[in-house]
Amino acid sequence: MIRNTKSQVVIQNCRGGVGSIEIHNKITKEDLVDGLSLFAKVVIHPHSTIGYHLHTDDAEAYYLLEGEGVFLNHDKERIEVKAGDLCLIKKGQSHGFENHSDSEVQIIAIVY
């Protein structure tokens, strides 16, 4: 399978955060790819955040393609991250993400 963006969604105040993000879906759970619920490019707009939230039934990985931000890990530690970094959220853990800059942050998000 080769696919361009399947759908694009703009979300305001994602997971209780502020501002907006764009999700460019490549694969969703409706595609029935075993073990994979989401594969998407996510654009976190300047001064926007993804609110701190719990992953009860799945895990997630963020791979930063562009920009810099703050990753909130399961222990609510605020860790500065940049392009090339990988953030891993295991099943049963919580996380969030903050972009305090004037530039967008682009990540690949994989939910499995």
Side-chain angles (χ1 to χ4, degrees):
M1 166 179 21
I2 297 175
R3 176 178 290 162
N4 283 322
T5 297
K6 184 171 184 178
S7 65
Q8 176 183 339
V9 178
V10 176
I11 299 175
Q12 300 292 327
N13 308 318
C14 182
R15 303 279 191 165
V18 298
S20 62
I21 68 169
E22 297 172 24
I23 300 179
H24 302 259
N25 289 310
K26 304 294 183 182
I27 294 175
T28 65
K29 59 182 145 188
E30 288 78 27
D31 291 312
L32 302 176
V33 176
D34 286 340
L36 190 62
S37 299
L38 174 80
F39 187 102
K41 180 176 92 171
V42 177
V43 178
I44 305 165
H45 293 155
H47 307 285
S48 296
T49 67
I50 298 172
Y52 194 75
H53 62 282
L54 175 64
H55 278 261
T56 55
D57 297 322
D58 53 28
E60 185 170 16
Y62 286 167
Y63 180 75
L64 277 76
L65 297 171
E66 182 179 305
E68 299 177 352
V70 175
F71 178 74
L72 283 75
N73 72 8
H74 183 63
D75 295 322
K76 293 191 177 180
E77 293 175 300
R78 301 167 59 80
I79 302 165
E80 292 187 22
V81 293
K82 63 187 179 318
D85 289 343
L86 176 72
C87 306
L88 183 61
I89 303 94
K90 295 179 181 178
K91 183 177 177 180
Q93 292 186 333
S94 299
H95 73 104
F97 194 93
E98 301 173 348
N99 177 6
H100 298 294
S101 76
D102 293 329
S103 303
E104 61 185 30
V105 173
Q106 294 187 16
I107 65 174
I108 294 294
I110 301 170
V111 177
Y112 56 97

